[in-house]
Amino acid sequence: MKNKKNVIYALTLPLVVVSGLVFANGGIKNETEGPKKLLSTAEVKARMEEGRKKWEASPDGLRYKDWEVSPEGKKVHASHDKIRKNIEAFSNMEAVVTSVTFRRENAGSSGPKWLIVKINGEEYMMQFIPKEFEQLKSLKVNDKIILKSRSAGYSPNHPYLILSGDYIEKNNKVLFKRDFSKNNRC
């Protein structure tokens, strides 16, 4: 029995020593490589431009470009132009709810919930996860609300400009306010 223990120790000891050397050597290599070089602003812009050009040449990019110049795409862009200053200033926009039951084709019931609103005669979409949408369950079609949005997005798969739903109030009562401290201001 003692011989078996000695054999196990004799086999384990070199393994431990070799493992230690491998890890130590790996640590030394990392230290001698030095810090990674930060990219200049020009290099970052060049890489972003290169990525954008690759995307524009992809099938999705080509479809998006076709949509952009279509009547539907032009209408969505024009609707963005109408509220751009409000988004940039994060200021109040008066809206009327036109749908609380909108659902994209082939979307499951657990998917995002959409609120469709009309601002100055143009319709806009606001997307919420089901948990967030619970706070808006009291809204009905033709309700007048005040909303604020920090951003907007285009999609050829959606009929209207998509606004971020960051703040919604009805009759001076806040129904929804996005907490930016929880998601790194996204």
Side-chain angles (χ1 to χ4, degrees), residues 169-181:
E169 79 176 49
K170 177 183 167 193
N171 299 328
N172 296 320
K173 180 183 175 199
V174 177
L175 300 178
F176 181 81
K177 185 176 182 182
R178 191 170 308 282
D179 184 0
F180 289 100
S181 66

Side-chain angles (χ1 to χ4, degrees), residues 3-4 6 19 24 43-44 77 87 111-112 114 136 139 143 183:
N3 286 339
K4 284 184 181 180
N6 288 340
S19 297
E43 290 171 322
V44 169
H77 279 277
I87 292 171
W114 295 92
L136 304 171
L139 288 177
D143 280 351
N183 58 4

Side-chain angles (χ1 to χ4, degrees), residues 25 55 64 69 101 113 130-131:
N25 194 19
W55 177 79
Y64 180 80
V69 296
T101 59
K113 304 295 182 190
K131 183 180 175 183

Side-chain angles (χ1 to χ4, degrees), residues 10-36:
L11 292 173
T12 306
L13 183 61
L15 183 61
V16 170
V17 171
V18 169
S19 297
L21 289 173
V22 167
F23 287 120
N25 194 19
I28 292 168
K29 277 186 181 177
N30 287 341
E31 290 174 10
T32 58
E33 288 177 6
K36 296 200 179 208

Side-chain angles (χ1 to χ4, degrees), residues 44-60:
V44 169
K45 285 182 180 179
R47 286 189 181 186
M48 288 176 63
E49 180 68 17
E50 182 182 321
R52 185 183 60 79
K53 285 182 180 178
K54 282 183 183 176
W55 177 79
E56 285 178 347
S58 73
D60 286 340

Side-chain angles (χ1 to χ4, degrees), residues 99-117:
S99 176
V100 293
T101 59
F102 178 84
R103 189 171 301 202
R104 288 187 50 213
E105 285 184 30
N106 304 323
S109 61
S110 64
K113 304 295 182 190
W114 295 92
L115 182 65
I116 310 295
V117 297

